[in-house]
Amino acid sequence: MSEAVFLHYTQAELDRAYDQRAWAANAAEVIASYTTVSKAVQARYPFTTEHYGSGEDEVLDVYPPAKGKPGSGSAGAPIHVFVHGGAWQRLTKDESAFPAPAFVENGAVYVALNFSVLPKVRLPDMADQCRRAIVWIVRNAWRFGGDPGRIHLSGHSSGGHLAAVLLTTDWKALGLGGSPLRSGLVASGMYDLGPVLLSARSSYVKLDKAEEDALSPMRHLDRVACPVAVAYGDGESPEFKRHARDFAAALKAKVRHPSQLVEGANQNHFEIALTLGQADGVLGQIALKQMFGQ
């Protein structure tokens, strides 16, 4: 009988619990749709690509509010920033346009964040790039009609982890007066890297103990400075469900700002991401309510 390596999981069971494709038969099809839908969005909605750093991957796409919508043609529109997933190894801003319609059609700026992925850089470098992107947005929002005082954030899967890292960042150490984030929506993420690094993901995610601690949002809840929604699909693996439930419970117990836990019915790990681009979708409804309070 195999020995448990974390909770009740044997090594094989833990590896499977961190492999979402094992729990979603349509994974390849849904991931391909990120590209298909994003290309259609890019063809329909104008956007500009901006550099937030000198690296070739340090860019982001900015989608302004649609013409005729509140916020179009005037400064001060709220900004929604999306951090894509892909197991820290795949995807770019080009597969991250699909959420834009829910925001630009409701008078908000949508930003698809790009950054280097493993193994080109290490996970701490990815987090640093994301932080620098947020600082750039704060300092340059005026250029694209955005309000630097109304920046909202979401992330999915490994992007959910990185979004949670941003929510638990010491922004004063980066030259800002405090956190620039007014709300956070983390979907299908991992919030403590301890068990992740016991799984097969440790074959490509290499961290020392100090880095593991620094990049585990669950361990830095005192830095959360805004309401946070934690979401997951009911078809996800039990480990990802546990991450969501534990993170939401910890937020509720230790953070003074409101938090909520939302389960997407009939959604697997990959499907729930697409609902961010739908104003009436599970994630789209949460994000728009965070931005506009409706």
Side-chain angles (χ1 to χ4, degrees):
M1 185 174 181
S2 298
E3 183 179 349
V5 295
F6 176 71
L7 299 179
H8 61 279
Y9 295 106
T10 65
Q11 187 65 64
E13 291 169 342
L14 188 65
D15 292 346
R16 185 171 185 269
Y18 280 100
D19 178 8
Q20 284 293 342
R21 291 172 186 255
W23 304 82
N26 63 348
E29 175 187 346
V30 179
I31 293 170
S33 74
Y34 298 168
T35 300
T36 303
V37 177
S38 289
K39 285 183 177 179
V41 168
Q42 289 175 325
R44 179 179 177 185
Y45 295 95
F47 66 94
T48 59
T49 300
E50 306 283 351
H51 290 263
Y52 65 84
S54 59
E56 63 179 343
D57 299 320
E58 294 177 350
V59 293
L60 48 81
D61 286 346
V62 179
Y63 294 77
K67 290 183 178 180
K69 300 297 180 179
S72 61
S74 62
I79 303 166
H80 187 91
V81 182
F82 176 64
V83 187
H84 71 76
W88 300 296
Q89 296 177 294
R90 294 177 289 275
L91 302 181
T92 69
K93 65 178 181 58
D94 294 328
E95 295 83 40
S96 305
F98 65 85
F103 301 100
V104 301
E105 292 290 350
N106 283 283
V109 176
Y110 173 74
V111 177
L113 192 58
N114 200 77
F115 43 89
S116 303
V117 297
L118 304 177
K120 187 174 183 179
V121 299
R122 300 180 65 247
L123 187 52
D125 302 314
M126 296 170 64
D128 284 343
Q129 286 181 323
C130 291
R131 292 183 182 112
R132 286 191 283 109
I134 296 298
V135 172
W136 184 93
I137 292 169
V138 171
R139 294 174 175 168
N140 292 273
W142 61 273
R143 292 177 48 199
F144 50 82
D147 182 350
R150 289 193 290 167
I151 298 175
H152 302 261
L153 177 72
S154 69
H156 172 254
S157 192
S158 58
H161 163 258
L162 288 169
V165 168
L166 294 174
L167 289 165
T168 53
T169 287
D170 179 1
W171 294 101
K172 290 184 178 181
L174 297 178
L176 299 182
S179 175
L181 304 173
R182 296 297 165 258
S183 73
L185 168 56
V186 293
S188 308
M190 295 154 283
Y191 310 110
D192 190 310
L193 295 182
V196 180
L197 295 175
L198 293 175
S199 78
R201 293 195 181 216
S202 63
S203 66
Y204 64 88
V205 181
K206 303 295 185 181
L207 299 173
D208 62 32
K209 284 297 183 181
E211 291 168 332
E212 173 194 323
D213 181 73
L215 294 173
S216 290
M218 180 74 88
R219 307 179 195 181
H220 305 284
L221 296 177
D222 58 310
R223 296 176 182 169
V224 175
C226 64
V228 178
V230 184
Y232 66 97
D234 65 358
E236 303 209 32
S237 79
E239 251 311 83
F240 276 66
K241 292 179 180 180
R242 183 192 64 79
H243 272 280
R245 291 166 179 163
D246 287 359
F247 192 49
L251 285 167
K252 183 166 288 189
K254 299 180 181 180
V255 177
R256 69 181 186 275
H257 302 281
S259 62
Q260 61 176 316
L261 177 66
V262 178
E263 180 183 80
N266 304 312
Q267 301 284 335
N268 65 35
H269 179 82
F270 305 99
E271 293 166 337
I272 195 170
L274 290 170
T275 70
L276 185 62
Q278 304 158 3
D280 59 351
V282 174
L283 300 184
Q285 288 185 67
I286 296 170
L288 291 173
K289 185 174 182 179
Q290 287 179 326
M291 298 184 83
F292 300 106
Q294 299 176 352

